[in-house]
Amino acid sequence: MKHEFKVVSAVAAAVWALTGWGWSGLARAQSNPDLAPVSKVTEQALARQREAETLRTHTREGQALLAQDVVQLDGYAYCGQATSLAEHGDFRQSIRAASKALYLGQRDKKPDLIAVAHRDLAIAYLYAGKLDEAEQYAHSALAVPGSSAEQVQAPAHKVLGDVLARRKQHAAALGEYEQSLKLASAKYRPQVQLSYANTLQAAGRAAEALAQLQGIEHAAQLELGAFYLRSLAGALLAAGKPEEALSTYDQLADDQSADADYQRLWAYAGAGKIQLARNERDKALASYLKATALADDMRAKFRSEEFRTGLFGDVQNVYDQALALAVAQQDYASAWGLSEASRSRQLLDSVRERAPDTFGRPMGLAQLQAQLRPNEGVLEFHAIGDQMVVWVVRHDGLQGKTLALPQEALTQEVDDFRKSIIERKRDAESRGQALYNKLIGPLDLTGVQRLYVVPHSSLHYLPFQALHDGKGYLIARASIAVWPSASVGGQLWARPATKISALMAFGNPATAENVPLPGAEREVKEVAELFKQKQIYVQ
């Protein structure tokens, strides 16, 4: 049973978005640097063992899920379901459908069905940003004897190309696309050509990318629609043809397909980039603001939380560009609103299904100020490149500043300060004073007795209470609370007081960054003594 692929929704942009437009928020996990190196043979053996166990898990899950179906389909029908679900962002259900097909293929000893199921698992994991798993199943699809060149091998090679492109291994990615093009059907080939062109552009070969795009047949260009226009606009801009690129972005902004808002978002962002290059800052800011205004509405259209979080990882760049433009024009009120919208979008993605719909929505500046008392203030930070934008919000005003603080150096300073405190070194106070002078010294906190801190980037790891102004610690001057965003903090603050009878607490988590929080672990254990009902998690 043949199953052709087509670009049917914004979710299919996951396959398209492999050339640096891809999901920055779903980066590949890094290995633990503290582990002793193992031999290549051992590493390969362990990888084979993990792959075999994962395959057995999918097969067992497919068998169990199939038993629950009132009406059982054939294996190829489940494969069709898997692809459709993946294209619409429902990755978990896609993987489950492919697992059913995999079980049926193994049960009925149908190698072709097994190969197609592996292909669909590879595609679902790719869409979900799980690059290692996508790579694994693409290879296993190719390894099935007698698999169809058009239906299995061409898509599998494209998945491998997509994985390599997202890892910025452009030369290797182009090689996989070339293999895919040799095997692809006439209908599938334009999608591979599109990915090939995007990777050429990402590799700095804009002229070749443009030639590749212009070489796609006109009928196929029309079928690819907005996805083709977006690639073409990017290639034109990279090739030094801004006027043609802007005209193409204008076409993209007029898109009337089901994914119009998604395409319009990137059209506005592209136009803003061109306008910024022309030094038309007002127009650029207006374009970026239009793009950010679409982001929240777009996220709500997708059912899958993984997709909402992953797809819009790159939208953060749009927020940051708009914020930087607002700051450059000394419009700190608009910059604050953009920072809050950015944070609230990310937080809402994290807490969705566990909080009311209103929770996490951006709070307006006037609304926040109305809740603040005269002796209270919100100290908020946002890192952009080598600058730190900082705001002090009070009930009667807003103060904004931009501090020149290279992120790498600041991160090291924060880390050194934390270590000095934990290891009780004599230089802890002087390090705290140096950070105070950089972060707090330029600001006016006169009269603030209650301070709500909204950190960003490496400042999430900074114990603000321990900062020292040369005379005393910050905590001695003002009581301090830390909020993930002013909007979330303000909403939590405004809720009616309720009696808390149970505790769930987390302290000193074990993370890939290996940042110890022994004080948090002690605090969690001590606070737990105040509750009869408690769940405590440490390490």
Side-chain angles (χ1 to χ4, degrees):
M1 176 178 178
K2 291 190 175 182
H3 182 73
E4 292 285 1
F5 299 93
K6 57 186 183 299
V7 178
V8 297
S9 71
V11 182
V15 172
W16 173 88
L18 50 89
T19 61
W21 300 85
W23 300 336
S24 57
L26 294 174
R28 186 183 178 202
Q30 299 297 310
S31 59
N32 189 337
D34 297 327
L35 294 178
V38 296
S39 71
K40 189 170 184 179
V41 173
T42 303
E43 191 176 70
Q44 291 173 342
L46 289 171
R48 286 194 298 270
Q49 182 180 344
R50 286 193 298 271
E51 290 173 8
E53 182 56 39
T54 304
L55 187 58
R56 284 193 293 270
T57 299
H58 278 304
T59 304
R60 288 194 298 266
E61 182 179 0
Q63 182 179 10
L65 290 168
L66 188 68
Q68 297 172 15
D69 285 356
V70 177
V71 178
Q72 294 186 357
L73 308 176
D74 72 14
Y76 292 101
Y78 284 120
C79 287
Q81 280 187 356
T83 303
S84 177
L85 288 163
E87 287 174 340
H88 288 83
D90 205 338
F91 307 128
R92 293 177 187 174
Q93 293 302 323
S94 172
I95 290 168
R96 288 173 179 172
S99 296
K100 295 176 190 178
L102 180 63
Y103 166 70
L104 288 172
Q106 293 184 349
R107 186 194 70 182
D108 300 337
K109 297 181 177 161
K110 293 182 176 179
D112 184 63
L113 177 55
I114 293 172
V116 174
H118 280 247
R119 175 205 69 188
D120 290 341
L121 285 167
I123 292 171
Y125 278 119
L126 175 71
Y127 279 30
K130 302 287 188 179
L131 302 188
D132 289 341
E133 291 85 348
E135 182 179 43
Q136 172 190 332
Y137 284 105
H139 280 303
S140 59
L142 291 171
V144 177
S147 59
S148 167
E150 288 187 359
Q151 298 301 309
V152 175
Q153 294 178 30
H157 280 296
K158 184 179 183 300
V159 168
L160 292 173
D162 294 349
V163 168
L164 290 164
R166 292 202 198 167
R167 291 174 179 165
K168 302 191 184 304
Q169 298 174 19
H170 300 130
L174 292 172
E176 291 294 342
Y177 291 137
E178 287 163 4
Q179 288 296 316
S180 182
L181 286 170
K182 292 177 183 177
L183 303 168
S185 65
K187 188 172 184 179
Y188 186 55
R189 187 173 291 110
Q191 293 187 47
V192 186
Q193 289 176 284
L194 193 67
S195 297
Y196 191 88
N198 290 337
T199 303
L200 284 170
Q201 181 190 329
R205 297 160 63 177
E208 294 175 70
L210 191 55
Q212 184 70 218
L213 288 166
Q214 293 171 338
I216 296 176
E217 293 183 2
H218 183 66
Q221 293 178 13
L222 294 176
E223 187 173 353
L224 290 167
F227 297 105
Y228 175 80
L229 289 176
R230 185 179 164 196
S231 290
L232 180 61
L236 286 166
L237 182 58
K241 300 181 178 182
E243 295 301 327
E244 293 179 53
L246 188 58
S247 175
T248 306
Y249 279 128
D250 287 342
Q251 292 181 57
L252 191 60
D254 290 334
D255 179 57
Q256 299 300 316
S257 70
D259 305 314
D261 285 347
Y262 171 79
Q263 304 299 350
R264 198 170 291 122
L265 186 160
W266 293 111
Y268 290 143
K273 186 175 180 180
I274 295 170
Q275 291 157 347
L276 183 59
R278 293 173 171 174
N279 204 33
E280 298 173 349
R281 292 181 175 273
D282 289 341
K283 290 183 178 179
L285 179 57
S287 294
Y288 279 117
L289 288 174
K290 289 177 182 177
T292 57
L294 286 170
D296 279 336
D297 291 338
M298 280 300 304
R299 187 192 65 245
K301 294 182 179 180
F302 298 107
R303 290 174 292 170
S304 165
E305 295 308 317
E306 305 102 312
F307 187 71
R308 286 191 187 100
T309 303
L311 177 63
F312 290 100
D314 279 351
V315 175
Q316 185 62 45
N317 297 329
V318 181
Y319 276 102
D320 285 348
Q321 188 64 70
L323 198 156
L325 281 168
V327 168
Q329 298 183 47
Q330 301 293 302
D331 185 355
Y332 282 99
S334 293
W336 182 88
L338 285 162
S339 179
E340 276 300 300
S342 169
R343 296 170 200 261
S344 298
R345 175 182 54 79
Q346 294 172 326
L347 287 162
L348 187 58
D349 280 335
S350 300
V351 302
R352 191 182 292 272
E353 309 298 342
R354 298 187 297 278
D357 288 341
T358 55
F359 186 83
R361 289 182 182 173
M363 178 178 285
L365 182 60
Q367 187 181 358
L368 176 64
Q369 289 176 313
Q371 295 189 30
L372 293 172
R373 299 184 180 90
N375 66 342
E376 295 176 329
V378 176
L379 176 63
E380 186 157 353
F381 298 88
H382 196 117
I384 305 177
D386 286 341
Q387 293 185 324
M388 183 69 72
V389 185
V390 57
W391 301 267
V392 177
V393 184
R394 301 202 195 200
H395 78 289
D396 59 353
L398 172 72
Q399 176 190 5
K401 283 188 178 294
T402 304
L403 309 176
L405 291 172
Q407 289 305 297
E408 188 174 345
L410 180 61
T411 299
Q412 187 61 56
E413 272 196 82
V414 171
D415 190 44
D416 290 341
F417 179 44
R418 288 172 47 82
K419 287 180 180 177
S420 292
I421 295 173
I422 292 169
E423 297 172 7
R424 304 192 179 191
K425 292 183 177 179
R426 293 182 179 180
D427 65 350
E429 188 172 297
S430 62
R431 289 185 181 279
Q433 188 173 347
L435 282 164
Y436 179 94
N437 291 338
K438 292 178 180 179
L439 296 168
I440 310 295
L443 308 171
D444 181 12
L445 294 179
T446 304
V448 175
Q449 298 174 352
R450 189 172 184 84
L451 187 64
Y452 302 96
V453 179
V454 183
H456 195 245
S457 188
S458 59
L459 297 186
H460 281 289
Y461 297 106
L462 177 63
F464 281 86
Q465 293 87 340
L467 296 181
H468 202 281
D469 65 359
K471 298 178 181 178
Y473 293 103
L474 185 58
I475 189 62
R477 288 171 39 195
S479 60
I480 297 174
V482 178
W483 286 347
S485 81
S487 299
V488 171
Q491 289 175 39
L492 289 172
W493 192 20
R495 290 189 309 178
T498 55
K499 184 177 180 180
I500 300 173
S501 59
L503 173 72
M504 175 182 285
F506 300 81
N508 200 13
T511 67
E513 290 80 9
N514 195 27
V515 179
L517 295 170
E521 184 170 338
R522 291 193 299 271
E523 183 179 4
V524 161
K525 291 178 178 177
E526 290 178 15
V527 170
E529 296 301 317
L530 303 174
F531 295 85
K532 290 183 179 180
Q533 295 180 334
K534 53 202 171 189
Q535 296 180 55
I536 305 302
Y537 301 90
V538 296
Q539 295 297 319

